[in-house]
Amino acid sequence: MSARPRSTLTVGVVEDHPITRQGLLAALAAAGFGAVAAAESVEALPGAPDVVLCDLSLPPGRVQGAAAVEALVGRGCQVIAFSALAGAAAQLGVLAAGARGFVPKASQVPALLDAVDRVAAGGLWVEPQLAGWLLQDVQDAGPGAAAGEAGRRAQVSVLAALAQGDRLEEHDRHRHWPPGTSAAVLAEAVAAFRARDGRRRPSPREWEVIDCIGRRGMGVRQTAEALGVSESTVRTHLQAVKEKYLRRDPQAGAALTPKTVATLWAAELP
Amino acid sequence: MALDEPAGPAPPDGAARLAGEVERRLVEMVTLVRLGTCAFLLLPLAKWDRLDRPWIAAVVAAVAVAEASWFAVVTRRRGTVPRHVVLVDVACCVLVMGLGSRAVGAADRNVVMTELIPYSLGGSAAVGLSTIPARTAAVAVGVMMVAWVASLAPVLPPKTLSDLLGFVLWVVIGRVISTGWRRLARTADQARAEADRAWHALAGQQRLAAEAERRRQLADHREALHREVHDFLLPVVEHVAASRPSTPEVVDWAGRTARRARRQLEHELGGSAPPVLARLADVVTAAEAQGLRVRTSLAARYRPPLPVVEAMVAAAAEALTNAAKHAASPDAVLAALDLDGGLQITVRDHGRGFDPERVTPGGGLARSFAAVRSRGGRVRVESAPGEGTRVSIHWAPDGAAARDGADGATAPDGATVPAAGGDT
């Protein structure tokens, strides 16, 4: 992880509120970044800046949230999501979508600039709250979820330290680790989280089954007819979404019927 | 409120499923009888030399096999035994009896007729297993019985009566079996349909209840947000709108109000969080009133007993107050995490720190720490000059102490002081 001079970096801002957008542009320009560009939507942002600060709540009808992050990552940008209001699902969702960090809008400007520097250098910016939720996720996944028990314990150690307000460099010193070890462990933790999240999310076809059964109250046969597949295929999809739900929430209990699980998943449909 | 499905079996995907299945099985049974009994008509052909007119036996067998094949095709395609198929089958039976009996002379007729009995009784079974009306079935069987007697005439052997009884028994048994199965299937399907209707009605009620609960929560949230905007945010905005001077106090006031509103909104999004998190959110608001900017990491799901929560929250509040007064840093972090089998609350600042060995314990911090210890918890204060301070408050059901480095996490360098000491 090597830091490039700010003057060689291009930074983009996607923010629909003009005052916030102008404020961010001014702060970034004053901090010495090479070029800054801003737009009110992902679609309107020109080119592919090195780092993009992307608001999660953009105007209706425009790509936003995790989809906005995915679109920017697809362009090759390093994305830092920011929002005035984002709960666990939203922050973990953008992290799973490829964001390199999340910054609350209430943050101080120096913290924002630190985040841009770290992400531009290939690192991750994880605030205490996000670290706490990631820690919960690692704990829920249990042993064997990471690369061995030693790897899992290292991830728990780093995430717990971040969640409690320690910095990565401090944690290296406190554990007598070589510099950069905590950052590498954090990167492993985020990669492992993304892999787990991918296995926990239903596929597009499974979402269609969830929509039919969990939200529209259709039966297996009706769903099969609606989707043009066999009843056994629908049952296979239902079993898969149940397994994914239990992976995400092991305490939900294996006694849940597939139909109940479809109803629970359906609550996450837009 | 999670919307769950009513207990019991899932509703059926189609009506009359069992009735259809029973009809299919009956059709299979009667088709098997019809095809299987054709084989008996081939037996007279083995006595070719002893027959007076063997070609008649061959024609009869060919006609019977052709009719049975047609019978199987039609019934399989229709999924039932249609009335016209039954009547054609009865006619074919009459033909087989009348014509087949003529393959030998009157004296030997009983010999060949014995081979025709199974096929002819198969016609009776088809009548019994079909859905034709009872009167039609009686007439059809009567016709077959008359044809049987006529075929044997003029020499009627003693077993003629038992042959005729066979016709009656087969139709009655077929009728009893098919009627009973069909009635049972209809009853089962009706019960399933009733259960289906009840299930959907119950699911509808649950959806309505869930919707009512959602609306109530929305109303509560709306009211809370209204209070937040009216009581806290609007005064700041109105102050700015009145172009009053923006003093450092006003800027601080605006910052605290914005952070308070943000926490409130995040709490609204958080759903049913443990009570300790809501209490800690209040603690943060109080700390910010003292000028401290507090970042939080409220990610605990552990729910200790309420007295423990009260003691831990009070200790955290004291720790934040201490940070505001003595750390010489505007920022602090308050974390509530599930660690070491229990709940851990941590207050961390990166202020000037202190040397624990040179600090005299006492004050509110010492009292609140003692309260945590009296409820089985542990408090750990770690600090060093220039390194900031970390206060860890931990409680687990078995009273286990927080290990160095929760769940493998490490602690900052610096001395550890007893829970009752280290008031900065």
Side-chain angles (χ1 to χ4, degrees), chain B residues 167-187:
Chain B
F167 280 99
V168 175
L169 272 179
W170 274 97
V171 76
V172 169
I173 290 171
R175 203 78 184 174
V176 168
I177 290 175
S178 62
T179 305
W181 282 15
R182 288 188 179 107
R183 188 178 295 134
L184 277 174
R186 273 199 306 274
T187 305

Side-chain angles (χ1 to χ4, degrees), chain B residues 44-280:
Chain B
L45 301 181
K47 309 170 190 170
W48 189 272
D49 295 338
R50 292 160 55 190
L51 299 177
D52 296 336
R53 287 175 287 278
W55 62 271
I56 289 182
V59 168
V60 163
V63 168
V65 168
E67 190 271 338
S69 302
W70 171 78
F71 185 101
V73 168
V74 174
T75 53
R76 183 178 181 81
R77 189 182 302 148
R78 298 280 188 92
T80 183
V81 186
R83 177 177 177 168
H84 73 277
V85 173
V86 176
L87 297 180
V88 168
D89 190 62
V90 168
C92 190
C93 284
V94 171
L95 177 69
V96 166
M97 293 176 213
L99 191 58
S101 61
R102 296 307 181 252
V104 292
D108 299 326
R109 198 157 288 164
N110 184 43
V111 176
V112 73
M113 289 300 280
T114 299
E115 317 289 11
L116 301 187
I117 284 179
Y119 178 84
S120 304
L121 293 182
S124 185
V127 169
L129 293 171
S130 71
T131 55
I132 63 174
R135 185 175 298 175
T136 307
V139 170
V141 172
V143 167
M144 284 193 288
M145 292 167 71
V146 169
W148 183 258
V149 173
S151 301
L152 287 171
V155 181
L156 294 179
K159 73 178 190 68
T160 303
L161 198 57
S162 69
D163 293 344
L164 296 178
L165 190 59
F167 280 99
V168 175
L169 272 179
W170 274 97
V171 76
V172 169
I173 290 171
R175 203 78 184 174
V176 168
I177 290 175
S178 62
T179 305
W181 282 15
R182 288 188 179 107
R183 188 178 295 134
L184 277 174
R186 273 199 306 274
T187 305
D189 282 334
Q190 283 168 359
R192 277 186 79 94
E194 288 293 328
D196 185 17
R197 279 192 287 276
W199 193 95
H200 283 299
L202 191 52
Q205 287 172 1
Q206 285 187 341
R207 276 194 290 273
L208 286 175
E211 178 63 15
E213 173 67 12
R214 192 183 67 82
R215 286 175 185 276
R216 190 191 63 73
Q217 287 183 358
L218 273 179
D220 289 349
H221 293 175
R222 197 176 296 123
E223 185 184 344
L225 292 178
H226 175 82
R227 279 203 310 271
E228 196 66 27
V229 170
H230 183 269
D231 297 348
F232 296 97
L233 285 178
L234 276 182
V236 177
V237 176
E238 284 165 351
H239 182 94
V240 173
S243 300
R244 292 176 192 157
S246 184
T247 63
E249 290 75 20
V250 170
V251 171
D252 182 57
W253 175 36
R256 277 189 282 112
T257 305
R259 287 192 290 277
R260 176 195 158 88
R262 179 168 168 267
R263 272 196 307 280
Q264 181 74 19
L265 291 172
E266 286 176 346
H267 179 65
E268 295 294 326
L269 286 178
S272 57
V276 67
L277 301 189
R279 297 291 315 278
L280 288 175

Side-chain angles (χ1 to χ4, degrees), chain A residues 122-179:
Chain A
L124 292 154
W125 184 263
V126 177
E127 290 277 331
Q129 183 62 79
L130 181 54
W133 288 325
L134 280 171
L135 174 65
Q136 274 189 336
D137 194 74
V138 173
Q139 290 170 329
D140 288 345
E149 182 57 19
R152 192 187 85 89
R153 287 181 66 83
Q155 291 180 13
V156 168
S157 173
V158 170
L159 291 172
L162 281 177
Q164 293 174 99
D166 286 347
R167 300 170 185 132
L168 291 173
E169 299 76 14
E170 285 178 324
H171 192 246
D172 281 340
R173 285 201 307 275
H174 301 152
R175 293 296 299 262
H176 306 294
W177 285 351

Side-chain angles (χ1 to χ4, degrees), chain A residues 33 99 101 113 129 157 167 180 185 202 209 220 254 263 268-269:
Chain A
F33 288 99
L113 298 178
Q129 183 62 79
S157 173
R167 300 170 185 132
V185 171
V209 172
V220 171
T263 306
E268 297 188 18
L269 283 167

Side-chain angles (χ1 to χ4, degrees), chain A residues 83-87 91 102 104-106 108 125 127-133 135-137 139-140 152-153 156-167 170-171 173-176 214-215 217-222 231 235 251 256-260 263-264, chain B residues 2-5 8 10-15 17 199-200 207 258-259 261-267 269 293 295-301 331 333-340 344-350 387 390 392 403 405-413:
Chain A
S83 172
L85 188 63
Q91 291 195 32
F102 177 86
K105 275 190 179 174
Q108 302 294 305
W125 184 263
E127 290 277 331
Q129 183 62 79
L130 181 54
W133 288 325
L135 174 65
Q136 274 189 336
D137 194 74
Q139 290 170 329
D140 288 345
R152 192 187 85 89
R153 287 181 66 83
V156 168
S157 173
V158 170
L159 291 172
L162 281 177
Q164 293 174 99
D166 286 347
R167 300 170 185 132
E170 285 178 324
H171 192 246
R173 285 201 307 275
H174 301 152
R175 293 296 299 262
H176 306 294
R215 185 158 69 175
M218 295 164 69
V220 171
R221 177 187 255 178
Q222 291 170 300
E231 292 181 36
R235 290 196 178 89
Q251 296 174 337
L256 284 178
T257 66
K259 193 177 178 72
T260 302
T263 306
L264 293 169
Chain B
L3 180 60
D4 207 348
E5 65 183 6
D13 295 323
R17 255 167 56 171
W199 193 95
H200 283 299
R207 276 194 290 273
R259 287 192 290 277
R262 179 168 168 267
R263 272 196 307 280
Q264 181 74 19
L265 291 172
E266 286 176 346
H267 179 65
L269 286 178
R293 288 194 302 254
R295 288 185 297 160
T296 56
S297 180
L298 306 181
R301 286 183 292 218
D331 298 297
V333 171
L334 172 68
L337 306 170
D338 294 331
L339 288 172
D340 287 337
Q344 176 151 317
I345 299 176
T346 306
V347 175
R348 176 79 163 105
D349 70 67
H350 283 87
E387 295 284 332
R390 178 209 287 241
S392 306
R403 294 192 307 273
D407 200 8
T410 190
D413 290 334

